[in-house]
Amino acid sequence: MYSLLRGHWLYLFLICVWLAPRVCSSWWYMGALGTRVICDNIPGLVSRQRQLCHKHPDTMQSIGDGAKEWIAECQHQFRHHRWNCNTLDRDHTLFGRVMLRSSREAAFVYAISSAGVVFAITRACSQGELSSCSCDPQKKGTSKDNKGTFNWGGCSDNIDYGISFAKAFVDAKEKKGKDARALMNLHNNRAGRKAVKRFLKLECKCHGVSGSCTLRTCWLAMADLQKTGDYLRRKYNGAIQVIMNQDGTGFTVANKNFKKPTKNDLVYFENSPDYCVMDKEAGSLGTAGRVCNRTSRGMDGCEVMCCGRGYDTSRVMRVTKCECKFHWCCVVRCKECHEMTDVHTCKAPKNADWLDHT
Ligand SMILES: *[C@@H]1O[C@H](CO)[C@@H](O)[C@H](O)[C@H]1NC(C)=O
């Protein structure tokens, strides 16, 4: 029996997002299906992905677990923005129609999700959770620090395996379509994979007499996914708008004044909507009801967030710990304090069109 099925809705969603946003309506029946032949029951998998799924059910599980992390990272990066990487509980496509467009936001989601798969698989390899890989004993090197030169070659994170599996699995769908969208997705998927590799760092453990560190074991380890998230977020800010070549094999910069994209840059075709109002076709949920900051002049400020529509203010009670005292020995006891704070939320547009959709 595949352990795969254990509540991994996210994984199922994920497959939908990448692979079959238009044919995902059957997803909700997955829970009712048996545990057999799950790979065959995932609609929208191309045959290559189905093969991989059959061959590596344990890896599919890691990908599913990893999805929670990259989605959380995406939402963290965009928490102060009109588009906040929100997932739609009742929408099988997870991000709504954003993913059907070729906007800057789609570019980011493809990159972070692809990075998330690399991260999850690589970590699972190192933790011995996968039958097809382990940590990478091949990586060896010489480094130098204030205590002198030393050799290292402990068990490193097997990022090359993570990258090649992610590439095979995630990119498989795009290979089918040779259209502009496929080209864009492949580019951003690769940028995401490469981003994880940037943040490998040497970690060491000292041995020797009372931590003298005359002997040490070192290995290359991945940094937190947040490092990759921060980096891709900067790449999102500098994402480059492109158009397809005449011969359909690559991109040209849409505006000749901008630099050509490198493999590390995110690329997109379409301008984004302003995300102010609900427009499902454009992939926008609108900002009605979003919490904003009255004093901020940034993206999270009520002026920007609410697109000039104004905001409602409500007083809410916050319970916090306070007047904490240390008691001998050894507990800290606190009181519960109640304080009133104002919470501001964006008003809906006047011609409350979005109400029809809720
Ligand atoms: C609101 O924005 C101001 C100015 O940027 C900041 O100092 C404050 O901490 C923010 N408040 C909240 C609740 O985030």
Side-chain angles (χ1 to χ4, degrees):
M1 182 174 110
Y2 292 143
S3 50
L4 186 53
L5 247 193
R6 269 190 271 121
H8 280 297
W9 291 102
L10 266 171
Y11 164 61
L12 306 179
F13 275 137
L14 198 61
I15 298 279
C16 274
V17 176
W18 282 329
L19 315 168
R22 270 155 286 210
V23 294
C24 281
S25 48
S26 58
W27 271 116
W28 292 101
Y29 300 123
M30 288 301 301
L33 292 171
T35 49
R36 281 169 301 128
V37 292
I38 178 159
C39 296
D40 292 327
N41 288 332
I42 300 173
L45 284 194
V46 297
S47 60
R48 176 72 188 128
Q49 288 168 330
R50 220 175 283 279
Q51 283 169 11
L52 285 168
C53 181
H54 277 297
K55 213 169 153 202
H56 304 280
D58 52 356
T59 309
M60 296 300 125
Q61 168 113 24
S62 303
I63 293 174
D65 294 343
K68 295 184 195 80
E69 292 170 66
W70 67 254
I71 290 169
E73 181 57 31
C74 182
Q75 292 178 345
H76 169 77
Q77 292 295 339
F78 287 91
R79 65 198 180 284
H80 293 320
H81 287 250
R82 288 181 189 159
W83 180 76
N84 60 353
C85 200
N86 210 353
T87 54
L88 303 167
D89 283 344
R90 287 180 217 179
D91 190 316
H92 328 283
T93 59
L94 195 59
F95 295 103
R97 296 183 70 92
V98 172
M99 290 308 105
L100 295 184
R101 296 173 64 89
S102 38
S103 63
R104 196 187 275 256
E105 288 71 38
F108 183 85
V109 171
Y110 274 80
I112 191 82
S113 60
S114 162
V117 171
V118 172
F119 188 84
I121 295 176
T122 304
R123 184 178 52 193
C125 289
S126 291
Q127 291 175 349
E129 290 167 6
L130 304 183
S131 54
S132 54
C133 63
S134 59
C135 62
D136 185 356
Q138 303 296 320
K139 286 222 176 63
K140 288 179 172 48
T142 305
S143 291
K144 204 173 172 179
D145 65 7
N146 52 13
K147 296 194 190 85
T149 315
F150 59 96
N151 296 320
W152 55 270
C155 202
S156 292
D157 274 342
N158 201 342
I159 191 145
D160 294 333
Y161 180 87
I163 286 178
S164 63
F165 195 101
K167 184 166 159 42
F169 186 80
V170 179
D171 283 1
K173 165 74 177 190
E174 310 294 346
K175 296 249 160 61
K176 295 274 163 182
K178 292 223 159 60
D179 59 345
R181 249 330 272 281
L183 222 54
M184 169 181 154
N185 295 346
L186 286 171
H187 181 102
N188 294 323
N189 287 348
R190 181 179 56 196
R193 291 192 301 269
K194 282 167 66 69
V196 183
K197 198 163 181 172
R198 280 186 106 78
F199 299 106
L200 286 176
K201 59 183 190 309
L202 204 57
E203 282 184 356
C204 294
K205 235 189 205 137
C206 284
H207 311 289
V209 191
S210 61
S212 62
C213 221
T214 47
L215 275 175
R216 56 188 133 173
T217 312
C218 304
W219 60 93
L220 278 178
M222 292 186 298
D224 294 339
L225 187 59
Q226 194 177 338
K227 273 261 197 300
T228 303
D230 291 344
Y231 174 79
L232 288 176
R233 178 57 219 272
R234 292 197 296 278
K235 287 293 176 189
Y236 163 91
N237 289 342
I240 297 170
Q241 189 168 26
V242 292
I243 47 178
M244 205 62 167
N245 280 345
Q246 293 279 318
D247 57 5
T249 54
F251 309 122
T252 346
V253 200
N255 179 337
K256 294 284 180 291
N257 296 325
F258 289 115
K259 71 178 178 91
K260 254 179 74 104
T262 68
K263 288 180 180 176
N264 297 318
D265 292 314
L266 301 189
V267 299
Y268 67 99
F269 292 123
E270 269 182 294
N271 289 321
S272 301
D274 60 17
Y275 296 108
C276 279
V277 294
M278 170 79 87
D279 179 352
K280 288 203 164 163
E281 284 307 305
S284 169
L285 296 178
T287 59
R290 286 279 302 278
V291 172
C292 60
N293 182 331
R294 203 169 56 89
T295 51
S296 167
R297 303 205 157 271
M299 297 297 286
D300 62 335
C302 291
E303 196 54 37
V304 177
M305 180 67 76
C306 308
C307 309
R309 296 188 305 264
Y311 52 88
D312 298 316
T313 301
S314 53
R315 303 218 86 189
V316 296
M317 179 99 77
R318 286 246 163 84
V319 182
T320 52
K321 295 212 183 309
C322 59
E323 292 180 38
C324 297
K325 285 209 181 86
F326 179 78
H327 293 265
W328 187 263
C329 176
C330 293
V331 282
V332 178
R333 291 208 182 88
C334 301
K335 281 188 178 163
E336 279 194 344
C337 287
H338 298 256
E339 83 186 355
M340 300 299 288
T341 46
D342 288 339
V343 172
H344 312 290
T345 49
C346 293
K347 281 188 194 294
K350 277 280 175 339
N351 60 347
D353 191 27
W354 65 280
L355 277 173
D356 297 341
H357 299 279
T358 56

